[in-house]
Amino acid sequence: MSSIIQLLPDHVANQIAAGEVVQRPASVVKELLENAVDAKATDIKLIIKDAGKSLVQVIDNGIGMSVTDARLCFERHATSKIRHAEDLFSLHTKGFRGEALASIAAIAHVEQKTKQEQEELGTHIVIEGSKFISQEPAVLPKGTSFSVKNLFFNIPARRNFLKSETVELRHIIDEFQRVALAHPNIYFTMYHNGSEVFNLPNSNFRQRIVNVFAGKMNEKLVPVKEETEIVHIQGFIGKPEFAKKNRGEQFFFVNDRFIKSGYLHHAIMAAYEGLLKDGAQPSYFLYLNVPPNTIDINIHPTKTEIKFDDEHALYAILRSAVKHSLGQFNVAPVLDFDRDPNLDTPYQYQQKEAEYPTIQVDRNYNPFSDGSNNSESAKQKQKSTTSNFSFKKPDFQPSWESLYVGLDEINTNHSEITFENEAVSSSLFEETDTEQETKRTYQIHKKYIVSPIKSGIVIINQKRAHERVLYEEFLSNMTVHQASSQRLLFPLELFFSVNEVELIKEIQSSLENLGFIFDAIQNDSIIVSGLPVTITESQISIIFDDLLNDFQNGVGNDSFSQNDSIAQSMAKCLAVKTGTYLTEKEQESLVNNLFACKEPNVSPFQKPTFITMSVEDLDKKFTL
């Protein structure tokens, strides 16, 4: 029998490896940025076209590569970061895997330009689908430039699974922010379709955070610093009052590498215990430095999860450091770039003492004494104060009897008096007594609405019922494009991160169909000038926080699924909450609107809105 096991060709093996290494354009961005950082670059540019589908280019001014290295870096398991297996436990670099460039070259058109500082000429290499097209010397500046074009050109199935450009760009921004925050000493810039998205000059940790997330991030940060034999912790956490519902501003960096750790996140949440609302997530940007031999970063393909030798001690130290900073943030000086100098004390008044007002008290004044029992001193004082005035008692003293004098002489004929008939307007909910008894509603524990029906009673969950009513209303407005808007007297400006603004741009058309009016959408803020008629100005920030939280994991390309998600999120946010008192007419209106819906039986989240109990069911409860 012939052998059925054989070695795969290199280009096939590279394509299989690419399925693990390169999942989307953001994976290419991560690998190329990390290589540029390892090349000791001080200036890194990221250029994106069509959310990375057409072009991902990274240009750095690092040490560059020789002719041999430039060709060898595209081979499998080729790396300059490790030599022995023991090196995996003492890593100080990022891209040590040795499969990234080979995998990227197998599924895209790659163009590499690199030159070392001491060399006169650089190397220009073109690869298409693992095939070397050309390699020739070229006049180049110091550093390396990688251009990855037409990603997944030879794997159309993988290309079809990519999301919309807005979603893919959001993933690219995530990877860019993680590398940029970990290395504030490097100048980063990012361009998408010719427009600048980020311009981050080299700075300290705090200024890099403020530059990345813009808005009013500076006033939200509280410094954290702790040094022990196990770990050195520094960074910033957010004040509890600025906590959001999404986790977009939570970053752990271990030895300048971004990681995800549910265990360390639990330590942060334990430190915030009692300070956050339900469902709120604090912001944190924490940099942990630990000995490389105490961690294992080779346990996950994307290297975003690591294993610590002493997790319990690290948990306790991190929790204590955050709790200590939270206890001091009220007195800690925070640099405020937006301080208003008009509130400062004027220079000419800084050295002057305050002048206190003088108070004079009449110690002889008695509010309970009448004029006849005044003391002699009071009488003398009264004489002195009234000596210049004369008072004469009037001759005529009116009394209440005089008001009725001559009333009998008036001839009053009651038959001639006419009264205006008061028109009785019919009530909106006017019903007969019998009908009123059958349609009357009752609220129980400010949570359920009970209404009698012919066969028994119906018990309605007021929150779920209102969600269903709002959901169908919002979905109808977005589908038919007939929503009404109300203009704001003063446009409202809301601040968001760049990633959140990109998400708002993706759902902008759906929000406009719903009744929102946007004057401008900038890199770090949006200006809202109109709202749907059912939404108040105080609810805008809450609505956008919930929308961003629900869309954090991305939405589908289908416009209907996007509208459906928006309608669900807004219905959940604006629905009447449990514990809210409803008047009888509000209860009746909610019941009528619920049963006018297309699907009144379930909420938008497929949970029952009401239950019915027949008279027979009630009778069974009382049988012995």
Side-chain angles (χ1 to χ4, degrees):
M1 185 176 180
S2 60
S3 300
I4 59 176
I5 298 178
Q6 59 182 355
L7 294 176
L8 290 173
D10 288 342
H11 68 279
V12 177
N14 288 335
Q15 288 188 3
I16 296 175
E20 299 177 358
V21 178
V22 184
Q23 300 176 355
R24 55 188 354 134
S27 304
V28 178
V29 172
K30 175 181 182 294
E31 299 291 347
L32 296 183
L33 288 178
E34 289 181 348
N35 286 343
V37 172
D38 288 339
K40 301 178 181 179
T42 59
D43 190 345
I44 300 177
K45 293 182 177 65
L46 172 63
I47 301 173
I48 302 294
K49 287 186 179 179
D50 300 330
K53 299 177 183 179
S54 299
L55 173 66
V56 174
Q57 184 177 9
V58 174
I59 305 173
D60 66 70
N61 62 346
I63 58 176
M65 289 182 283
S66 63
V67 178
T68 304
D69 290 342
R71 178 68 178 263
L72 191 60
C73 69
F74 290 102
E75 299 295 332
R76 293 194 67 192
H77 310 303
T79 179
S80 62
K81 316 301 170 58
I82 57 176
R83 291 291 183 267
H84 308 283
E86 292 77 10
D87 295 339
L88 293 173
F89 301 99
S90 60
L91 286 171
H92 297 276
T93 56
K94 300 178 182 297
F96 62 89
R97 188 163 32 191
E99 293 184 355
L101 295 181
S103 301
I104 294 172
I107 54 175
H109 297 165
V110 178
E111 184 177 359
Q112 179 199 49
K113 298 178 181 179
T114 182
K115 174 184 173 296
Q116 292 180 326
E117 185 175 9
Q118 67 275 14
E119 299 292 335
E120 294 183 0
L121 296 176
T123 304
H124 181 198
I125 296 178
V126 178
I127 303 176
E128 295 181 359
S130 295
K131 297 180 180 179
F132 279 85
I133 304 301
S134 64
Q135 177 176 351
E136 55 188 12
V139 178
L140 301 170
K142 171 197 171 185
T144 303
S145 171
F146 272 100
S147 299
V148 180
K149 304 176 183 178
N150 305 323
L151 192 64
F152 299 123
F153 79 98
N154 53 356
I155 310 179
R158 177 63 65 89
R159 189 178 183 89
N160 292 335
F161 273 102
L162 295 178
K163 303 294 183 181
S164 64
E165 287 191 9
T166 309
V167 176
E168 295 299 337
L169 178 62
R170 198 163 68 248
H171 286 288
I172 291 175
I173 291 176
D174 283 339
E175 296 295 346
F176 179 84
Q177 288 178 347
R178 292 169 182 175
V179 178
L181 289 172
H183 302 278
N185 58 323
I186 300 178
Y187 196 131
F188 284 94
T189 52
M190 176 179 171
Y191 301 89
H192 180 242
N193 291 338
S195 61
E196 185 180 83
V197 181
F198 287 100
N199 190 339
L200 309 175
N202 52 345
S203 58
N204 54 26
F205 286 135
R206 187 185 193 113
Q207 194 61 45
R208 175 55 57 89
I209 296 171
V210 173
N211 290 337
V212 169
F213 291 96
K216 297 184 178 180
M217 177 59 68
N218 183 66
E219 64 186 35
K220 305 177 184 179
L221 300 179
V222 179
V224 177
K225 189 172 183 179
E226 187 68 35
E227 294 187 4
T228 65
E229 296 180 354
I230 299 176
V231 60
H232 290 184
I233 301 174
Q234 62 177 336
F236 300 90
I237 56 176
K239 296 180 181 179
E241 60 265 29
F242 295 105
K244 298 182 178 181
K245 290 189 176 181
N246 57 67
R247 297 188 177 186
E249 297 176 357
Q250 296 180 348
F251 294 86
F252 280 117
F253 300 96
V254 176
N255 294 355
D256 294 336
R257 179 188 296 272
F258 171 79
I259 68 160
K260 297 178 181 178
S261 175
Y263 189 69
L264 297 183
H265 173 74
H266 189 274
I268 302 294
M269 298 302 294
Y272 276 91
E273 185 178 3
L275 300 176
L276 299 174
K277 298 179 182 179
D278 293 339
Q281 294 290 332
S283 302
Y284 54 79
F285 309 87
L286 296 175
Y287 302 82
L288 285 67
N289 287 323
V290 298
N293 58 351
T294 62
I295 58 174
D296 185 2
I297 61 178
N298 200 31
I299 64 173
H300 193 272
T302 60
K303 314 306 177 191
T304 56
E305 297 181 11
I306 64 177
K307 178 68 176 176
F308 296 93
D309 284 353
D310 195 352
E311 288 186 339
H312 297 288
L314 185 60
Y315 180 99
I317 295 172
L318 183 60
R319 178 176 176 270
S320 299
V322 173
K323 207 174 185 77
H324 177 72
S325 295
L326 286 173
Q328 289 187 335
F329 81 87
N330 277 328
V331 297
V334 178
L335 185 59
D336 188 3
F337 295 111
D338 299 327
R339 180 179 59 84
D340 188 358
N342 295 326
L343 300 179
D344 295 342
T345 304
Y347 179 78
Q348 59 270 24
Y349 290 98
Q350 289 182 354
Q351 305 299 330
K352 291 185 178 181
E353 296 183 358
E355 296 182 0
Y356 296 95
T358 58
I359 302 175
Q360 296 180 355
V361 180
D362 184 4
R363 300 183 181 277
N364 297 321
Y365 175 73
N366 186 0
F368 300 101
S369 63
D370 53 8
S372 60
N373 296 328
N374 285 341
S375 62
E376 293 297 331
S377 61
K379 290 181 179 179
Q380 294 296 330
K381 184 176 181 180
Q382 184 177 5
K383 289 180 180 179
S384 63
T385 56
T386 60
S387 59
N388 296 330
F389 300 92
S390 62
F391 177 77
K392 184 178 180 180
K393 186 175 182 180
D395 296 335
F396 172 73
Q397 295 182 356
S399 62
W400 64 272
E401 292 90 350
S402 63
L403 300 175
Y404 297 92
V405 175
L407 187 62
D408 296 337
E409 299 177 359
I410 301 176
N411 184 13
T412 305
N413 187 1
H414 295 284
S415 61
E416 297 178 357
I417 299 177
T418 58
F419 297 92
E420 183 180 357
N421 291 328
E422 182 177 355
V424 180
S425 60
S426 60
S427 174
L428 181 62
F429 301 99
E430 183 180 10
E431 298 163 344
T432 62
D433 294 340
T434 305
E435 291 176 345
Q436 193 170 2
E437 286 185 6
T438 57
K439 293 186 179 180
R440 183 173 298 169
T441 58
Y442 304 91
Q443 189 179 27
I444 299 178
H445 295 295
K446 299 180 181 179
K447 184 176 183 180
Y448 299 105
I449 298 175
V450 180
S451 178
I453 55 178
K454 290 183 179 180
S455 60
I457 60 173
V458 58
I459 304 175
I460 302 172
N461 186 309
Q462 65 182 30
K463 182 177 183 295
R464 295 180 184 177
H466 200 204
E467 286 178 350
R468 164 54 62 177
V469 173
L470 293 176
Y471 168 74
E472 293 198 2
E473 178 184 349
F474 292 144
L475 196 60
S476 175
N477 290 338
M478 286 187 289
T479 305
V480 184
H481 299 179
Q482 292 182 352
S484 301
S485 300
Q486 55 180 343
R487 281 280 184 175
L488 295 176
L489 183 60
F490 301 103
L492 184 64
E493 186 175 10
L494 303 175
F495 293 93
F496 298 98
S497 65
V498 176
N499 204 354
E500 292 171 338
V501 170
E502 291 296 328
L503 181 56
I504 293 175
K505 287 181 180 178
E506 180 184 0
I507 61 177
Q508 179 182 355
S509 59
S510 299
L511 293 177
E512 289 175 345
N513 294 335
L514 197 59
F516 285 93
I517 300 176
F518 299 95
D519 278 358
I521 298 182
Q522 303 168 354
N523 285 338
D524 60 347
S525 65
I526 64 173
I527 300 177
V528 182
S529 61
L531 300 174
V533 293
T534 57
I535 297 176
T536 61
E537 185 176 349
S538 60
Q539 296 174 320
I540 299 179
S541 59
I542 301 175
I543 290 173
F544 277 99
D545 286 343
D546 287 349
L547 280 173
L548 294 173
N549 180 42
D550 293 339
F551 279 76
Q552 193 68 31
N553 296 326
V555 295
N557 294 325
D558 188 5
S559 60
F560 176 79
S561 64
Q562 185 182 95
N563 292 342
D564 187 72
S565 300
I566 295 175
Q568 287 182 356
S569 178
M570 294 192 62
K572 179 180 65 175
C573 176
L574 298 176
V576 59
K577 301 297 187 291
T578 299
T580 303
Y581 171 75
L582 300 179
T583 64
E584 187 173 351
K585 290 188 177 181
E586 289 173 340
Q587 298 170 29
E588 188 173 355
S589 177
L590 179 59
V591 173
N592 293 336
N593 291 334
L594 173 64
F595 289 103
C597 293
K598 296 180 180 178
E599 297 182 9
N601 298 329
V602 294
S603 71
F605 307 98
Q606 303 305 313
K607 295 182 179 180
T609 57
F610 66 89
I611 60 172
T612 57
M613 294 186 67
S614 62
V615 177
E616 290 77 9
D617 295 335
L618 294 174
D619 291 339
K620 293 178 182 179
K621 299 293 183 180
F622 292 95
T623 56
L624 298 176

